[in-house]
């Protein structure tokens, strides 16, 4: 793990630091007095900061490209009331010097706890076939490692490391509650759908330097990839009942709930119908939380509507912020 | 209450009964040998049965119209293996002779228990304003009486007496669970939305002889009517905070979730978003149950898909029936 | 094969025949003079005819159900200028007495010739991997048998035995031409897509007594089933290049061309784009042909528009019929 | 009212003025020779002009924020053939120093005349109930004051002070004509709908410093707010016939004509159908006029199509400008 | 013209008449005592009536087909309180014996008056080119004859003889009013669009025995046909200004207002925008009137909603009928 | 033709050239040391290059406007590794000095060969009427000249000089193949549709200095304009059969295949259905090719997906580039 994060820099004002960041913006510009300087925006998973390199900029510039993780030595100073880095030396970092995880947004939850929670749900299953299927996934070390790290999306809800696991555990929780409320529901089947519905994202996305789609992910999509992964695991479980297999796979195929959203089938069994609603609801609740955070971070008054939220085609309002202002108007 | 229901008639085979039914179909037909006979379908809330009147049919025919509740004397006999009524005398019943409730489909739940459950939720509120608002509704005897009786729809989900109450109580239950899962949620506000979201249906629908829309219901709709009812009750609660009022009303306006479904506003606060998903989900789960019942009643194999369900634009499959047949193919 | 088809009956007027038909309509009715008679519509793959059983109808009725294949003895007579069967004896046929194929609509093409044509295309491949994949399908006796028999749909285009093979061979022909016109195209990949795009229909549909969906077909759909079948065959071809595998599978997934039509992915490679257009075009051309046939069979003037064709949301006009009438108006 | 408007400045070339404007753009920039200067865009209801402050810019900058109304002293000079203000002193104006109305776009019509015209229509009513309802609105001083000032939209048609009144009066005029053309129409009801259809905008929008939505406006919308305002006024008119009330309210609810446009009900009475068409038409005619003005102001040839008009998803063409060029090509 | 219409028959009760009607339903049925009788529904433009032929029915039946105009001799009698014809002789009428116009629904307006009104509008034009164009149409005897007779649709609004003329004259009236309200409008251009917008229907439809589309009408549509007719007439007017020609044609092409409704272009000039709204509004107002008539004729209470009106996707309510019932509930 | 094209300039490094280009971007900017310089982007049909004019810029600037073709004298030098022009003298070119064709993108095919191919198809016709119609178009010198030069679009597929001809010839080729595959097709009719379907673009577009719509093109559209052009040519062919005329015109009207794409009619004859699919497919194949070129030109790895392609609402992947990288991952 990194020693120094963006969020720590305020502790080093007027000191020199050596640290690793992503150079998310890089621009070689003309100085007023001739010569060149480098203008940079540096990021890690805790935030971002502006930086300037005034000396030897032209020489340093070819040493790294925009988007690279860089190693630098810099002075933490203040310009127009905001902290800024004055760079002395800079170069591209090499693989092994850093952990990419430090440079990508990540869940604020404890991944081990989420993992334990997930395993706890599976331990509670009464249906041995479904339990065996889910264990086959989680006991596969490659899948387990990826599942603990994958984001749930490139740019929408839960678009951070651990986001997929966080979303799945939250969804399993609300599915558990729904199974209690609708007693005719096959609870283990519903939870199986919740755990596996997005499993194809492990192959649809890559999250090494940034979040992106694989070519295979673009051409096949996580729904189909997930179906293929389940087929493969089931090939190792010869006693798995064929009808149950069809139902599990149907839940994965139909969980987007509409053809326009890429589901090749609509939910036709009660568990698939519940899964669709609860998955969509949980994702939207997370979008709402993220938007409230973003709005607060941008300094917007919590009693006002947020900006237009494109993913939901509307602005949003934070109930508690709005009610806290009761009596103000 | 009626003495004899359709569901009781098998106990009276070969006996004569006097009873009240709705004549849902009435047709005066030619007998082969000349003369006329009456062919009837008789209904009450427990089911329906065919009937024939062979003698004096022409004279009896003007005594009632199709759709009327009739009083009749008839012999319970059997024709082609099915019970049938051979009518001796028949006339339109007059108001007061019967209770219309006996002739309309009704909830199979205990209305008093549902009512107690509803009141229990309100008793648990911590927000005194919202509690006072809901009490103002339930303590209004006219509203209370209607609320215990109203169907939730003319022809879709919960289209039976008591259906609205049944739906609201189920929805409050699942909202309660969601409020536990998403702790940032204003639980009392969410439950208030659940209780009031369809309150306008008390005036949008009539359910005296059958389920139908009022003209006012057609022209204004239950969303707007409900908004007006809340405004009226709030006029009696001068201390109700204005922002809270806006939020409660927003939840009612936006609960259909899409403009195309008649909501003039999209849900913009977390509680409204949850309410929309859970309301839609609860209604669909009831549709699913009704379709499985209808399919079973029509003798369809429980391991097969139902017929095409127009309200959901797909056929459905009963998980338990399908899995029960595992190993059959 | 059957001895006597509907289309042959005119040769037996006033004679008695023993034959097998499907009783597509069966109704036990009152005779004017008391007693019962059976009214029937009988079908096989060559057509349909009305039938009546005047004697012993009540006794015969329990011997078969509507939809059954029946064995009967009947007189071929004429009623109101049309041939009709006067049934003497009738009972349900038992499995083994008849070949279901005789009772379902079937391709008018020679299946062996179509099969040879299909194999010829594969023999012409230059890409050994794609050739091996397709041979793995056609050399699988279960798949080969089904492929020679399957309809292409339950009720739309090519809804007859052999319809799938007929459609695939026609499509491969037009793909072959397109590959010549657009020389940058990977011809073998395009033809592979053409052969496999609907392969999942072998499991989505059943065509034993009639054309119907399997439950698995309803819940998963032929696109996903086909993807699974390809994955399975590829598991036996360890040297198959992974990128080529992704492209083949992408073509199957995207061939419906739009999300609303059940494709979870849009065509993103040139071969998938061509396949989508040509598949859709070939299916529509067959719909057009079927509608012109149906219209001609119903006696409609060939120079007039057909009735409204629901599958295409428009009426159609037969160019040659219309032009043949040039000068008539 | 202000002494000096943007539109007047050409009369003061090379003179110094003291005036109030909105600083719609403010940017503190580096001078080439070191030091800072302020670049500004200044606006009032008559237009906009660029300004520069070359001396003491850094000191002046904290004295006001972008969006503020400012008081300034400046020289009217000319730069690259266009007038520009060279600012000497500048600070934020304080409430009371100026009338916000001077800084917002406003109708070019005479508000008193529009108001008289509106009252004239009401005076002509034959239905005393509808007349009383409209008088209850116009005689409410708070409503009257707002009605004379409100824009009809934040950014679409009639987005200027007095825009709502201007639109309503134009709409009443065209409704009056339609009532003559379709004699079966209830003319007073139609005119009532015209006057009240957008009345909720008085609370949906604020127009103090700029045009914006209130939070209540966002959450409830002007259709529902308007319905609530009518309910409130009707509470003071106990003799108002209930059916007439339903019709008036239906017209407000349905005037957008489509669910997608936020109407919870479709127009179901002739007057509501007319109101929908004429309201939409009048708004579009005003959009067209505004676009022609904007196009002319931007120097576009009047015989050419305008730019793409997003609100109408097409470009437009001014008939008279186009025909005036007849013979030119 | 016919001597005796359906509407006249009540004057002939118990008398024998000789008359012409359309046999819109014809059914040869079994009499109870053996033998056959004919059951008929007879129509003309004034209404319809049931008829029976008890004697020689089998012989008479081949003399005409359902849909034919028939000549008959019959007794006007009464059966179950309703008039009925007891037919003695009947045969198909031959061309020349009758005027088809007598058997199709027709406008209740005076065609000569409508025609005069139309010519009056043209006489008032100030633009000589547009006047000449419209006169070229109306002075063409073939067009004039068709224009006086054509329906405006096969089955929607104004689907009766003279319906097109009636619609055009009403539309010109409301366009005239709009031109006064929006003074920048080119009034003669707007009226020209109103007169010509549906002119292609003269060739799109036939209305000899019934209302139907021509094959050319189906393949080209009245918008394109109308454009072609204008081009043809303009070829005879060499001085017609080319820009004006483009505008006139644009109005015809765009008057449906949306691509989905078959307009290849959206209205882009003010006159085309007005024409679209007013044409749609006038057609809908006529639909509304027709629905109220149909509803009244079917005996529905005028204070209730009509049945679902498919063309408008909603039920309707007659304002005056509803208000007349004020106080009833 | 021009002497020196952008693509030739690398041969003149460090030499002075006199040449003509389009000044597609022109900006007069401040030099750091005071004074002004001109920054330019210069284009012709072979590419584009940056240019700077450091001396006498203010004087030269009024000599031409952005968008003009300019004549200039300049030194070909190198700046930051890329060629750049250092302008010494510059002025607007005058008509006659240059051929506009040199400044617009143009087909890379040989126009004479395309033209010969087109004429060859017509020569092969067996239907003399259709042949005569097409010859009437191609023998019209004005049409022939335009047809050899017109682009197929302003900004979509084939948006270059000769693009229309290139598209039409490619489409005729694929139509020829389809006619062989579907033998019931009227081959000459299909080819006629292919040649004429976009003929209206000759008047819808102008391509003198850039590609743009005419006002007439905007108001009428190429489908309607094309229909009018065919009508006009047919007026010179009195023996052309009327039904054949309707079919040809129907193909032009319906070739966009959907109302939303501006076709006023859906394809209802087999030839029109084929034309729609093949036209759309050919255009999309060209879009795909252009996108692969653009992607390659921008230096994107050929084994990766392209950027999002807005016209197709998806990214694309070049099959050959992707497969060439097989084994890389």
């Amino acid at each position: 793990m990194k020693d120094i994060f963006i969020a720590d820099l305020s502790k080093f004002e007027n000191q020199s630091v050596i640290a690793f960041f992503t150079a998310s913006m890089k621009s070689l510009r003309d100085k007023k007095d001739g010569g060149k300087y480098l203008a940079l925006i540096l990021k890690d998973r805790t935030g971002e900061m502006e930086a300037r390199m005034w000396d030897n900029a032209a020489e340093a510039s070819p040493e790294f490209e925009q988007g690279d993780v860089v190693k630098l030595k810099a002075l933490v100073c203040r310009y127009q009331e905001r902290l800024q880095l004055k760079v002395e030396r800079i170069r591209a970092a090499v693989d092994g010097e850093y952990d990419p995880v430090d440079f990508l947004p990540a869940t604020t939850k404890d991944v081990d706890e989420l993992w334990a929670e997930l395993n706890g749900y599976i331990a509670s299953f009464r249906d041995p076939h479904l339990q065996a299927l889910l264990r086959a996934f989680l006991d596969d070390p490659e899948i387990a490692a990826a599942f603990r790290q994958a984001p749930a999306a490139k740019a929408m809800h839960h678009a951070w490391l651990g986001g997929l696991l966080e979303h799945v555990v939250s969804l399993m929780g609300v599915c558990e509650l729904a199974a209690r409320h609708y007693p005719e529901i096959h609870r283990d089947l519903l939870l199986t759908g919740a755990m596996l519905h997005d499993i194809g994202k492990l192959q649809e996305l890559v999250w090494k330097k940034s979040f992106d789609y694989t070519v295979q992910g673009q051409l096949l999509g996580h729904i189909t990839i997930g179906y293929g992964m389940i087929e493969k695991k089931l090939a190792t479980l010869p006693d798995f009942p064929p009808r149950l297999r069809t139902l599990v796979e149907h839940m994965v195929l139909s969980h987007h709930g509409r053809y326009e959203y890429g589901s090749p089938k609509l939910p036709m069994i009660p568990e698939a119908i519940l899964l669709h609603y609860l998955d969509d609801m949980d994702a939207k609740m997370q979008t709402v939380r993220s938007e409230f955070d973003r709005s607060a971070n941008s300094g917007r008054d919590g009693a006002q509507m947020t900006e237009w939220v494109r993913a939901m085609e509307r602005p949003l309002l934070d109930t508690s912020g709005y009610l806290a202002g009761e009596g103000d108007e």
Side-chain angles (χ1 to χ4, degrees), chain A:
Chain A
M1 200 171 91
K2 292 192 359 166
D3 296 316
I4 297 182
F5 284 93
I6 295 286
D8 303 324
L9 290 175
S10 61
K11 291 181 285 186
F12 295 91
E13 191 169 349
N14 295 323
Q15 301 178 32
S16 184
V17 296
I18 293 179
F20 294 84
F21 302 112
T22 300
S24 70
M25 192 279 287
K26 169 194 169 188
S27 168
L28 189 65
R29 298 176 182 168
D30 294 325
K31 282 202 273 193
K32 299 222 174 58
D33 57 359
K36 300 282 184 184
Y37 71 97
L38 270 171
L40 302 167
I41 294 176
L42 302 172
K43 277 191 175 171
D44 63 20
R45 65 171 166 81
T46 69
E48 67 182 49
M49 189 173 286
E50 290 212 357
R52 293 288 180 275
M53 184 177 197
W54 297 105
D55 300 325
N56 307 314
E59 293 74 15
S61 182
E63 298 291 316
F64 67 102
E65 289 180 18
Q66 184 165 305
D68 278 353
V69 171
V70 294
K71 184 175 185 186
L72 55 72
K73 184 176 177 208
L75 184 74
V76 182
C77 54
R78 190 170 290 270
Y79 177 73
Q80 290 189 332
E81 307 182 33
R82 297 198 308 167
L83 289 179
Q84 200 183 67
L85 287 172
K86 196 170 153 191
V87 179
E88 294 167 32
R89 289 202 310 269
I90 187 166
R91 66 161 170 82
V94 292
D95 282 3
E97 282 189 317
Y98 63 93
D99 182 351
V101 169
D102 289 341
F103 302 89
L104 294 171
T107 180
T108 58
K109 301 280 174 70
D110 182 310
V111 168
D112 288 326
E113 276 177 26
L114 291 171
W115 192 251
E117 214 175 323
L118 179 63
N119 282 274
Y121 280 121
I122 300 173
S124 75
F125 274 30
R126 301 177 59 179
D127 185 299
H129 298 295
L130 294 172
Q131 192 174 46
L133 173 60
L134 296 196
R135 287 257 48 95
F137 272 96
L138 296 197
D139 295 345
D140 178 330
E142 200 177 336
I143 286 175
F147 205 166
R148 294 168 60 103
Q149 220 177 34
K154 185 186 168 191
M156 305 281 282
H157 71 96
H158 295 92
W160 51 74
L161 292 176
L164 180 61
L165 180 60
E166 188 180 343
H167 169 51
V168 164
V169 169
S170 175
L171 179 56
M172 290 183 91
V174 75
C175 283
E176 171 80 307
L177 297 173
R180 269 185 236 156
H181 190 71
Y182 299 105
E184 72 270 36
I185 284 300
H186 191 315
R187 179 253 192 195
D188 291 356
L189 180 59
L190 178 60
L191 289 180
T192 298
M195 199 197 103
L196 295 180
H197 76 295
D198 273 350
I199 198 74
K201 288 189 173 172
L202 301 186
Q203 293 177 20
E204 185 190 39
L205 295 167
V206 282
W207 53 89
K208 202 150 184 204
K209 288 196 173 176
S210 63
F211 298 162
D212 217 335
Y213 289 104
T214 60
V215 172
Q216 190 205 22
Q218 293 260 35
L219 294 182
L220 304 183
H222 71 270
I223 284 186
T224 301
I225 293 173
Y227 168 80
M229 291 170 74
I230 294 169
E231 283 278 286
K232 218 171 184 174
K233 283 294 175 224
L234 285 174
T236 69
L237 298 168
D239 294 337
F240 200 91
R243 292 190 174 194
L244 192 56
R245 167 197 212 126
T246 297
L247 297 187
V248 169
E249 292 172 347
H250 172 67
M251 293 182 79
V252 173
L253 291 182
S254 67
H255 81 269
H256 283 188
R258 297 181 166 225
Y259 299 125
E260 308 89 280
Y261 300 162
S263 261
K265 281 289 164 183
L266 304 184
M268 299 186 216
I269 61 172
E271 291 76 12
I273 293 168
L274 286 179
L275 180 64
H276 160 58
Y277 279 106
L278 296 174
D279 173 40
D280 199 3
M281 184 176 85
D282 192 68
K284 288 292 186 303
M285 283 303 286
Q286 186 55 54
T287 300
V288 167
R289 277 191 207 117
S290 300
E291 290 297 328
F292 290 159
D293 285 352
R294 183 202 317 270
S295 194
N297 291 342
S298 78
R300 206 178 181 83
D301 176 0
Q304 293 299 313
M305 310 293 299
T306 65
E307 298 281 342
W308 184 258
V309 177
R310 214 163 57 103
M312 297 183 67
E313 296 193 310
R314 73 196 78 166
L316 297 168
L317 179 72
D318 184 358
T319 306
S320 58
Y322 182 62
L323 288 180
E326 186 88 68
D328 287 2
E329 61 258 37

